[in-house]
Amino acid sequence: MASFDLPDSTDWLDTSLSSFEPLEAALRCQVCKEFYDTPMITLCSHTFCSLCIRRCITTDGKCPTCKKEGQTDKLMPNWVVGEIVERFVKARPAALELARRDKEEKKGTSGRKRKLDDTDLEDDEISVRSTRSRKTRTAAPAGGADMSDPIAVVNSEEEGDYVPEGMVKCPICQKAMKEEQVYMHLDSCPGQKGPGGRNTRSRTNNAFSNTFQHQSTKLSPSPTPTRLPQLNYSLLKDNALRQKLHSLGIPTWGPKQLLIRRHTEWLNLWNSNCDATHPKTKGQLLKELDVWERTQGGHAGFTEAKVMKKDFDGNKWATNNKDHFDELIANARKKRTAPTEGEEKSEEKKEGVKDAPKVIPVQYSREQPANPPTETLLIPHTERAQEPQTDTKPSVDVARPYEGNNEALAIIRKKVDEANNNSNSSSSAGPQLEGEAPSLRPSEGISNPFSSPSRKVPMFQVPEDPVIEVETKSR
Amino acid sequence: MHEHTAPGLELVKADDFKEWLVDIRVLDPNPLYQNETYRLKFTFSQQYPIEAPEVVFVRDDTHPIPWHPHVYSNGIICLDLLDRAGWTPIHNVESVCVSLQSMLTSNTKKERPEGDEHFVKYNKQRPKDINFVFHDNQV
């Protein structure tokens, strides 16, 4: 791709057809700024690419143009716009070239151009220009132009993805045919396994049934036109969600947040593909999901992708609260010697939740009112993610800032030693083995969350003498 | 892509889809902004245009930070369309710039936002993490 030589509506401005600029702009999706790909119309009568509007809706549920809410699943195809776009894109190179030449001739700058008459131009230059790969962007709706040829043409390529120009594949049986025929054909499509069946066009099918069966075993089936439903992620446990992803055939690794984002993207890709008149195969969709994975998903390398809110600034948070994390880790390591695992976990959870509001006021100055509750809620998760040592669940993909970071580990070891020494030297505080050590370090400047007396009580404490309770549990 | 920008805009750097620099001028004869050019820095995330870009004024020898009650002296802009709630994916660089031009040109007060000094001193957040309260409908 040579520099930024992308077709754009402003291409018309330097030509004698500058009024085509707004025309072309009107044929482009306002979200992606490309020509409409599978245009869909919303409840509020705005039109966008299917994938664009689905992504917008899964982000905030609003129409990008008018901000009207409640758009989910109320999209309808806008066939007319799709056809206009398709025709325009086909006519564009020739028209643009003519308009450019016209302008130059009017200017009288003949130096740059060969003297060619228009027919020559159409013969060579235009055919070269039309090789731009924009064809893939155009969603051609059923045009109704040429219904006179109902004979299905078989795709003889070994690669099932290839479809002759002007042809599309039946999403079920993979047979290539003119796009106008697809809907008629679907009513009688025999499916993948039974090519004889009810098909009224059995003469073609019989002849090539071997090819179909061969293809259907070799290729992953292309999407059937059934749209996938949304899931209520908050009702699903990690494993159930993982199973869902597995049954859809998409990657299942990563923490729940990533699973949710991946599933959402897959739904968008899949459902917009269902809208398309030229549906892609599942293999192609999986490739697109892989691109997403590398740019925005789990392979994108953003730590912010791994916490609850996708635009949360994980790095910033980690640096701002590093002391705090170190402290927590040091304490957790120290505690590890004494209490049972379950005890430790519940203790940690409780403290994580209680810490959150303590940290925030330090961060936000007067002009920045405290974050909304949603943002506050994620803090315990972040802290847990930053604490691989105490995270007893073997979650694979949490950020591990301390792994291999010798400097940070050294600091933590020092703090552990420090904490150990303190508790040893002041053994008069003896029986309080659990979590109390930080309170024995008044010299440290950091206000320690554990020092709050209310936290000495374990989470499920019955209202009795806390010291005795802790002792019996830790034995 | 944006070779033909609106008047008063000039694309300075747009080599990738991560960071763009755009110079903007206010064309109307507003005495506050006459003969000055301001430089805007756009930072795009992978989610653009679903997500808003980060847009701030940057200061250098020839480009000051414009005076405006919604522009902090470190260049951070308080404008609803740049916020998560106000952004819509149909905006683009040009429309954002034009909005900023109009925001500047309609201003008559040579002042900074309330608490500017404090904010500039203590803010370490990215602009998109800041929760602005949009109270002014005059912009």
Side-chain angles (χ1 to χ4, degrees):
Chain A
M1 198 167 60
S3 71
F4 283 124
D5 186 24
L6 296 167
D8 185 71
S9 61
T10 54
D11 293 349
W12 295 101
L13 289 181
D14 285 339
T15 71
S16 50
L17 286 177
S18 56
S19 58
F20 269 47
E21 195 271 335
L23 169 64
E24 179 169 330
L27 294 176
R28 287 172 175 268
C29 170
Q30 287 185 289
V31 174
C32 66
K33 279 81 176 172
E34 301 277 353
F35 284 114
Y36 285 116
D37 177 10
T38 318
M40 303 295 277
I41 191 161
T42 62
L43 274 181
C44 43
S45 303
H46 295 110
T47 298
F48 305 95
C49 301
S50 180
L51 186 55
C52 294
I53 185 62
R54 286 174 188 281
R55 280 181 174 152
C56 291
I57 287 173
T58 49
T59 305
D60 62 0
K62 290 179 191 161
C63 167
T65 303
C66 64
K67 297 247 163 198
K68 197 175 166 194
E69 306 213 20
Q71 299 286 343
T72 325
D73 286 339
K74 302 278 167 48
L75 300 170
M76 295 294 285
N78 197 339
W79 298 120
V80 177
V81 170
E83 182 175 5
I84 295 170
V85 167
E86 188 202 13
R87 306 289 182 214
F88 182 83
V89 168
K90 277 189 184 140
R92 185 183 192 272
L96 186 61
E97 194 58 43
L98 277 176
R100 275 183 178 152
R101 285 177 52 78
D102 189 50
K103 180 85 170 185
E104 278 178 18
E105 274 163 21
K106 275 181 190 163
K107 270 198 257 171
T109 54
S110 56
R112 254 181 62 196
K113 282 278 175 184
R114 300 171 292 161
K115 286 291 176 192
L116 280 175
D117 60 275
D118 290 343
T119 44
D120 277 350
L121 182 78
E122 273 168 24
D123 282 345
D124 47 78
E125 281 200 312
I126 289 165
S127 63
V128 172
R129 293 185 57 82
S130 64
T131 54
R132 288 185 189 175
S133 64
R134 235 178 304 114
K135 273 173 200 143
T136 52
R137 293 283 311 169
T138 64
D146 185 11
M147 299 289 280
S148 60
D149 186 7
I151 298 168
V153 178
V154 167
N155 172 17
S156 59
E157 287 282 324
E158 275 294 291
E159 301 287 309
D161 287 349
Y162 175 76
V163 176
E165 194 163 7
M167 301 287 184
V168 295
K169 280 199 298 187
C170 166
I172 297 170
C173 69
Q174 308 279 330
K175 195 164 42 165
M177 62 191 69
K178 291 207 168 174
E179 55 185 323
E180 294 88 353
Q181 295 175 279
V182 172
Y183 284 103
M184 266 166 58
H185 164 83
L186 279 176
D187 292 332
S188 58
C189 180
Q192 289 176 319
K193 293 273 161 75
R198 301 182 297 116
N199 195 344
T200 51
R201 294 187 206 100
S202 55
R203 61 194 163 112
T204 48
N205 264 325
N206 284 339
F208 296 101
S209 58
N210 284 337
T211 324
F212 296 143
Q213 277 172 349
H214 172 66
Q215 279 192 356
S216 65
T217 49
K218 209 182 98 182
L219 299 167
S220 56
S222 69
T224 53
T226 45
R227 292 177 176 79
L228 294 169
Q230 302 275 343
L231 295 177
N232 188 339
Y233 299 116
S234 52
L235 289 182
L236 280 172
K237 291 235 165 63
D238 280 27
N239 278 338
L241 182 58
R242 226 173 280 273
Q243 294 244 306
K244 287 269 185 200
L245 265 63
H246 183 73
S247 65
L248 291 172
I250 58 178
T252 59
W253 56 271
K256 187 177 182 188
Q257 280 309 311
L258 181 60
L259 298 182
I260 291 174
R261 297 203 306 127
R262 187 183 295 131
H263 185 261
T264 307
E265 177 68 11
W266 180 249
L267 245 55
N268 290 338
L269 286 170
W270 181 279
N271 289 345
S272 69
N273 192 47
C274 291
D275 301 329
T277 35
H278 306 260
K280 300 166 191 159
T281 62
K282 187 174 179 183
Q284 283 172 297
L285 293 182
L286 282 170
K287 271 181 205 153
E288 285 175 24
L289 186 70
D290 187 53
V291 170
W292 174 88
E293 196 78 64
R294 277 181 276 119
T295 53
Q296 299 180 36
H299 288 148
F302 300 138
T303 45
E304 55 205 302
K306 288 158 190 157
V307 293
M308 185 170 272
K309 214 158 163 185
K310 64 179 165 26
D311 54 356
F312 178 72
D313 190 354
N315 287 330
K316 191 91 196 171
W317 183 263
T319 35
N320 282 356
N321 298 285
K322 188 160 183 318
D323 274 359
H324 197 72
F325 293 143
D326 291 346
E327 200 81 22
L328 282 169
I329 292 171
N331 287 320
R333 283 203 173 169
K334 189 174 71 65
K335 276 191 293 180
R336 199 175 240 195
T337 53
T340 63
E341 281 250 299
E343 181 92 344
E344 187 179 42
K345 213 175 157 189
S346 63
E347 182 85 355
E348 178 201 13
K349 252 186 209 159
K350 184 191 88 182
E351 276 157 7
V353 174
K354 287 221 170 183
D355 284 350
K358 289 201 93 167
V359 182
I360 283 180
V362 184
Q363 261 227 317
Y364 298 95
S365 57
R366 203 162 50 84
E367 287 73 28
Q368 314 146 26
N371 281 2
T374 48
E375 200 145 322
T376 316
L377 278 178
L378 63 84
I379 289 156
H381 292 255
T382 339
E383 291 192 356
R384 285 176 60 78
Q386 303 285 355
E387 280 183 82
Q389 299 302 329
T390 54
D391 201 350
T392 47
K393 270 189 299 172
S395 50
V396 196
D397 223 61
V398 290
R400 288 171 178 268
Y402 294 97
E403 208 157 73
N405 186 348
N406 286 328
E407 195 183 329
L409 284 174
I411 295 173
I412 291 160
R413 283 201 195 97
K414 209 177 111 204
K415 292 202 176 183
V416 173
D417 289 346
E418 215 170 88
N420 280 336
N421 289 340
N422 278 339
S423 64
N424 286 344
S425 62
S426 54
S427 56
S428 59
Q432 300 182 341
L433 274 177
E434 213 174 330
E436 265 68 18
S439 63
L440 305 173
R441 287 182 287 154
S443 58
E444 292 216 4
I446 304 160
S447 75
N448 195 298
F450 297 166
S451 61
S452 159
S454 65
R455 299 239 177 67
K456 289 178 182 173
V457 187
M459 196 179 218
F460 305 109
Q461 180 68 54
V462 276
E464 281 177 11
D465 183 3
V467 175
I468 292 170
E469 185 68 15
V470 168
E471 271 297 282
T472 51
K473 270 189 184 168
S474 60
R475 288 295 156 233
Chain B
M1 273 166 88
H2 286 267
E3 282 167 29
H4 302 269
T5 49
L9 304 182
E10 191 191 339
L11 212 50
V12 178
K13 171 178 163 285
D15 306 331
D16 51 26
F17 295 119
K18 287 185 181 139
E19 194 181 291
W20 284 21
L21 294 177
V22 182
D23 278 358
I24 78 168
R25 285 180 296 120
V26 174
L27 298 174
D28 300 335
N30 186 330
L32 278 176
Y33 307 112
Q34 277 211 313
N35 303 321
E36 285 191 345
T37 306
Y38 309 106
R39 181 156 289 181
L40 281 168
K41 186 173 84 176
F42 286 73
T43 312
F44 304 100
S45 73
Q46 287 281 353
Q47 281 79 25
Y48 180 84
I50 303 290
E51 253 181 30
E54 179 184 303
V55 186
V56 293
F57 284 106
V58 288
R59 189 207 316 266
D60 59 29
D61 295 340
T62 50
H63 301 94
I65 305 281
W67 285 98
H68 192 281
H70 298 149
V71 178
Y72 289 93
S73 53
N74 57 4
I76 290 180
I77 304 160
C78 171
L79 182 63
D80 64 346
L81 71 83
L82 298 177
D83 182 75
R84 202 176 297 133
W87 171 258
T88 116
I90 68 171
H91 286 306
N92 57 31
V93 172
E94 189 172 337
S95 72
V96 169
C97 290
V98 171
S99 301
L100 285 169
Q101 275 179 325
S102 97
M103 174 179 121
L104 292 180
T105 196
S106 61
N107 174 44
T108 51
K109 292 178 264 186
K110 188 182 179 180
E111 59 185 40
R112 293 282 174 214
E114 199 184 325
D116 178 59
E117 202 176 312
H118 186 76
F119 174 82
V120 171
K121 200 167 170 188
Y122 293 107
N123 180 57
K124 292 193 176 72
Q125 291 181 302
R126 301 173 301 178
K128 68 170 166 180
D129 292 335
I130 303 169
N131 284 286
F132 291 113
V133 180
F134 304 106
H135 53 88
D136 190 349
N137 297 321
Q138 306 297 308
V139 184

